[in-house]
Amino acid sequence: MSAGQFPGPIYRDTRDLTPFGGGKVRTPVHEIAEGVGGLIHGVLGGGDSRISVDGSVPRLKLLPGKAARTVYDAIFSSADPNRLIAAGRAYPGWAGLCCVMAGLLAYKQGGYLRAAELLQRGLSIRNDDEANQFAASYLTRVVTRVEVAERIVVPVLFSEESVFLALSHCLRETGQTEAAFETLVRLPPSLPTALARCALAAALGRDQEVVVWTEGLLNADDLSAALLLVRARSLRRLGAYGQAQQALKEVLRRQKTSMSLRNDALTDRALMLLDNGRKSLNPRDWQRGKQGELETFEVIRKDIEARRAWEQKWKQFGGD
């Protein structure tokens, strides 16, 4: 998809309600803390790799059908994707939903290749009305924490966006960058989707599209700050150093921006100065540096002349 097909930004979400929660920037300290916390939690018997739910698990209505009971138990009471796959085989009208949920479960557990296969299979299968009604009744609180860009994680309630963003991340992790990008094309505009798409577009060298899609973006939260960093890097590769500088300045403007993102902005600004070379430095600083170099050369020249004069006198006195 070319930039011409998207003449304006793609990060503006006009919906009153969206499936997205607040984004989080992963840092090495957070990952260590989470790892230690997870280890302690597991030792104490509290480890849980089942589907995540926002709040409590919804109660199953009285006298459910056998298919609904089987799928409900496989989703909320098990951490094994194979159980959902078996439920889908037992009830073909539910196979699409079961494969999608098995894919989200595998995604949570870090099995990106298997998750991609299951999600793609689930999206290709049509569900019965009963399965669709089950999803609308019981899966609205299911949460998938999706890595929309490197180190940026966003919790997404069960929806088209949670499935396609998770699938895109799986494809990215397995080296299928172009397919990961195409997976997001049909999703509605939103900041998390824009960050995911722009990060992939930048990786594919489609910097002009990134610039068009992020025009007018301001730093309102860490997601927008991360997207501004992607914009700045694309502008830098296009040679638009002035606009890139403005994007980095916007990242640094908001004091509550994640320290990790602020450090990235400072690093990018330093790299941009190196790209620009001495033209980007203050002319007075450059002249001062040049004068210092000349003074150094002058001292070296005088030292060489003094040594030559001393050697000549030594030879006059019969020195070897």
Side-chain angles (χ1 to χ4, degrees):
M1 187 165 291
S2 66
Q5 292 174 272
F6 281 93
I10 61 171
Y11 59 85
R12 295 194 176 109
D13 192 342
T14 59
R15 293 173 291 181
D16 293 330
L17 294 174
T18 73
F20 303 107
K24 177 182 177 182
V25 182
R26 279 183 175 166
T27 64
V29 174
H30 287 156
E31 289 175 0
I32 292 173
E34 288 175 359
V36 173
L39 178 62
I40 295 173
H41 195 54
V43 170
L44 295 176
D48 193 352
S49 56
R50 292 176 296 179
I51 287 288
S52 298
V53 180
D54 180 20
S56 59
V57 175
R59 286 188 173 186
L60 191 63
K61 296 177 181 178
L62 294 175
L63 302 176
K66 189 174 181 181
R69 166 62 70 181
T70 302
V71 174
Y72 179 93
D73 290 341
I75 292 174
F76 296 112
S77 303
S78 174
D80 185 6
N82 291 326
R83 188 168 169 184
L84 278 162
I85 295 171
R89 289 175 179 169
Y91 305 101
W94 295 65
L97 178 63
C98 289
C99 282
V100 165
M101 297 309 296
L104 293 178
L105 184 56
Y107 175 75
K108 179 181 179 179
Q109 297 169 357
Y112 297 118
L113 183 59
R114 190 183 189 198
E117 293 172 350
L118 288 169
L119 290 172
Q120 287 173 313
R121 188 191 311 168
L123 290 170
S124 67
I125 301 173
R126 192 178 189 88
N127 295 306
D128 286 348
D129 290 340
E130 187 181 1
N132 291 331
Q133 184 60 44
F134 175 91
S137 300
Y138 298 106
L139 302 184
T140 55
R141 294 184 185 177
V142 169
V143 177
T144 304
R145 289 173 175 81
V146 183
E147 184 179 302
V148 294
E150 186 178 359
R151 299 178 303 160
I152 310 297
V153 178
V154 178
V156 191
L157 292 173
F158 183 72
S159 58
E160 181 184 44
E161 284 148 303
S162 70
V163 175
F164 279 95
L165 283 169
L167 174 57
S168 177
H169 180 211
C170 291
L171 293 171
R172 173 163 59 92
E173 289 289 344
T174 54
Q176 303 175 69
T177 309
E178 186 71 44
F181 177 80
E182 293 297 332
T183 298
L184 304 176
V185 167
R186 290 176 293 180
L187 292 183
S190 69
L191 190 54
T193 301
L195 177 55
R197 283 184 62 185
C198 288
L200 289 167
L204 293 168
R206 302 166 76 159
D207 295 306
Q208 188 62 51
E209 294 176 55
V210 174
V211 173
V212 172
W213 290 340
T214 56
E215 192 66 40
L217 179 64
L218 298 176
N219 182 6
D221 52 30
D222 285 344
L223 285 180
S224 55
L227 185 51
L228 280 165
L229 282 171
V230 178
R231 172 180 171 83
R233 289 163 186 167
S234 289
L235 286 166
R236 175 183 158 205
R237 284 191 291 268
L238 292 171
Y241 294 110
Q243 290 177 275
Q245 177 68 19
Q246 287 299 316
L248 294 175
K249 184 178 179 181
E250 181 62 20
V251 174
L252 297 168
R253 175 188 59 79
R254 190 173 64 90
Q255 293 299 318
K256 292 185 178 180
T257 299
S258 164
M259 186 60 67
S260 179
L261 297 177
R262 291 176 67 85
N263 287 340
D264 286 351
L266 291 171
T267 301
D268 285 4
R269 189 163 67 176
L271 291 172
M272 193 161 56
L273 289 175
L274 290 175
D275 285 349
N276 273 325
R278 286 173 175 158
K279 291 181 181 179
S280 63
L281 296 175
N282 188 308
R284 292 181 180 178
D285 293 339
W286 162 231
Q287 291 297 331
R288 191 180 299 116
K290 185 175 181 180
Q291 183 64 32
E293 290 179 7
L294 292 175
E295 291 175 356
T296 301
F297 286 129
E298 183 66 19
V299 170
I300 295 173
R301 186 182 65 78
K302 289 182 178 180
D303 181 68
I304 292 173
E305 290 178 352
R307 182 174 180 82
R308 285 176 178 170
W310 180 83
E311 288 177 347
Q312 289 176 359
K313 288 182 180 181
W314 176 258
K315 289 179 181 179
Q316 290 176 0
F317 286 107
D320 295 334

